[in-house]
Structures are given as C-alpha cells and as structure tokens.
Amino acid sequence: MKVAVDTHLCIGSGTCALTAPAVFDQDPEEAVVVVLDPEPPPEQYEAVRSAVLHCPAAVISILD
C-alpha cells in the first residue's frame, strides 16, 4: 500500500491524524495533512482505509 494526499485541497479537519496517527499528522502552521509514512506496514492498513473513508475533503488516496 502506498498513500498519497492532495495537500492543496486539504481542509485541515485532522480526521486522518486522529484515525491513523502513525501514518498522518498535521502541519502545525498550515494545519494541512502531512504523510508520516507513505508506505505504511500492513498493521496500519485498516486505519489508513478508515482515514480515507472519513476524510471530509476526500484528499487521501491509496495506491497499489
């Protein structure tokens, strides 16, 4: 699994960072998503999928 985000469309809700904190964080100045681990391990897949599903701006994509 590879994770990609469109930071230009991110609205800074923080849902991704709360749902998958090992994979996502927020930039403290701009409050947009930051990908901490673009190729997370299998134990993070469920959390990443949940973050994708619950992102209100739909800016997170799973590749592969």
Side-chain angles (χ1 to χ4, degrees), residues 4-53:
V5 297
D6 185 342
T7 57
H8 298 292
L9 297 177
C10 179
I11 62 171
S13 74
T15 303
C16 56
L18 293 171
T19 305
V23 180
F24 304 104
D25 199 357
Q26 280 187 288
D27 179 286
E29 292 179 18
E30 296 186 32
V32 297
V33 63
V34 174
V35 179
L36 301 174
D37 190 351
E39 294 187 38
E43 58 267 15
Q44 294 296 320
Y45 288 6
E46 185 176 336
V48 171
R49 287 186 184 102
S50 182
V52 170
L53 180 66

